Amino acid sequence: MRRVGLGRHGQLDSDAGDPLDGLVNLFDVGLVLAVAFLIAGLGLSVNAETGAVEKRAPTVTGPERTITTPDTPTEATGRGEAVGQVYRLPDGRLVLVDPNAPQAGTSAP
């Protein structure tokens, strides 16, 4: 089958191909880049030796600071009211317990 072209080129071979075929390859490259950016954004990296995807080691942004308890207890002054009791759990978290909150297993008045 032969096509008739316009202008000075006259007739074109049907084997010339579609000029938009290269666009499909660009779409594939875009997908690969999108997945790469997604992996980088999630904090994952590829191990060069095994090829496995692993979690990135956390980076330290500043010096570590240890807060110490003063040797002598200080008394607070000013106006205010107690809002509860603070407890430190074995894993280091702090929990504030409201003394006016209903106990577990009881109904509120």
Side-chain angles (χ1 to χ4, degrees), residues 30-58:
L31 281 177
V32 169
L33 284 175
V35 170
F37 284 130
L38 180 65
I39 289 174
L42 292 175
L44 302 175
S45 63
V46 178
N47 188 341
E49 295 173 4
T50 62
V53 177
E54 299 173 348
K55 201 172 221 184
R56 238 183 244 165

Side-chain angles (χ1 to χ4, degrees), residues 6-7 12 15-17 26 29 33 48 56 62 70 75 79-81 88 91 94 97 99 101 107 109:
L6 299 176
L12 296 175
D15 297 336
L26 289 177
V29 170
L33 284 175
R56 238 183 244 165
E75 234 179 82
R79 295 186 209 166
E81 62 184 74
R88 182 181 307 272
D91 64 357
L94 297 176
V97 178
S107 61

